[in-house]
Amino acid sequence: AQSVAQPEDQVNVAEGNPLTVKCTYSVSGNPYLFWYVQYPNRGLQFLLKYITGDNLVKGSYGFEAEFNKSQTSFHLKKPSALVSDSALYFCAVSAASGNTPLVFGKGTRLSVIA
Amino acid sequence: NAGVTQTPKFQVLKTGQSMTLQCAQDMNHNSMYWYRQDPGMGLRLIYYSASEGTTDKGEVPNGYNVSRLNKREFSLRLESAAPSQTSVYFCASSVPGQGKYFGPGTRLTVL
């Protein structure tokens, strides 16, 4: 069975600094990996995904994530954080083979301080 | 194109009452899902439907039933609500290997 770990409940970063939100995963075979963002009292919004190809994936709002197969990681990054990036971020994984459901991490709350 | 819609947005039930959460999508997606979100727990899959006419249990199916009425609609039913089912419920739809589209959520409180 697949699983996702987001080791940090909370990440604080100053506006303009780079940010990283960590994610590691476990899955049989090749993974499909996703990042979602949730703003207060809203549903989840898709940010980016890794299916195959380049290990560095670029997504919405200037975010990117790097797939590292040897470390089974898919960390979310942004070169320069904005206050408006403050939200709850979820990493998710499903197995590439078969139509397996998506499994989510517990979420990391990002606070960007002006 | 409304995406994924859910009704109601808010609901308060008493223990033992029943209710159905409605979900519809207009993107012609085969797969639909019901998740619950609890603080510190992330999203947990309750049930999913890979295609019209099929449903499967997820991680936390106990106390729930689902119906895939047609390709567009996927409802979640609580037959006898319990306080442990107080949560925010999200419906989602997708095609395999692609990102999921989530509805706005239903905030349910069971007293």
Side-chain angles (χ1 to χ4, degrees), chain A residues 1-64:
Chain A
Q2 54 256 38
S3 64
V4 174
Q6 293 181 243
E8 302 152 318
D9 292 335
Q10 173 97 26
V11 170
N12 298 319
V13 64
E15 188 174 32
N17 282 2
L19 70 87
T20 299
V21 182
K22 295 179 181 177
C23 171
T24 58
Y25 67 90
S26 172
V27 70
S28 297
N30 293 322
Y32 290 159
L33 292 156
F34 302 82
W35 275 101
Y36 289 84
V37 60
Q38 185 180 33
Y39 297 101
N41 299 313
R42 302 287 295 275
L44 276 70
Q45 296 178 30
F46 170 77
L47 269 182
L48 51 81
K49 68 177 185 286
Y50 171 83
I51 302 297
T52 187
D54 287 342
N55 289 341
L56 185 63
V57 178
K58 294 188 184 298
S60 307
Y61 312 121
F63 283 93
E64 58 188 31

Side-chain angles (χ1 to χ4, degrees), chain A residues 83-94:
Chain A
V83 172
S84 57
D85 293 329
S86 298
L88 191 55
Y89 290 81
F90 290 96
C91 181
V93 67
S94 67

Side-chain angles (χ1 to χ4, degrees), chain B residues 29 36 102:
Chain B
H29 288 167
R36 59 178 288 175
F102 283 82

